[in-house]
Amino acid sequence: MEDQDWGTAPVDLLQSACPWRTFRWYKGQKHYSGTYWSATVRDHVIYESRLELSRLLFADFDPSVRGIVAQPFLL
């Protein structure tokens, strides 16, 4: 764990963040979660709602985006 001021945290530190809690899903849950294959990061990115999925899609198709980090991670 790093103890650093938010304003001085380098981007690569955020990109290497490990999940803080377990990503869970089960049949019949009320929210829509899953995994999305991102061309930007060339790996799966988890999401926990349709809103997160839509933001992932926007980010993945934006040529200025260089990395996508899945939440949840602790800031």
Side-chain angles (χ1 to χ4, degrees):
M1 179 191 288
E2 296 271 340
D3 188 12
Q4 200 162 8
D5 197 33
W6 171 248
T8 63
V11 172
D12 58 330
L13 179 63
L14 295 175
Q15 289 177 335
S16 66
C18 294
W20 178 251
R21 61 182 166 86
T22 305
F23 175 74
R24 297 185 191 127
W25 64 273
Y26 56 89
K27 186 175 182 176
Q29 71 185 12
K30 300 207 185 254
H31 61 281
Y32 184 83
S33 58
T35 58
Y36 170 76
W37 177 261
S38 168
T40 302
V41 297
R42 294 185 168 96
D43 200 359
H44 286 102
V45 180
I46 60 171
Y47 60 88
E48 293 184 300
S49 69
R50 290 187 189 263
L51 177 62
E52 286 182 23
L53 176 57
S54 68
R55 300 311 296 166
L56 276 171
L57 287 165
F58 279 122
D60 206 24
F61 283 90
D62 184 343
S64 67
V65 173
R66 296 181 182 207
I68 300 171
V69 179
Q71 71 89 17
F73 63 91
L74 182 65
L75 290 179

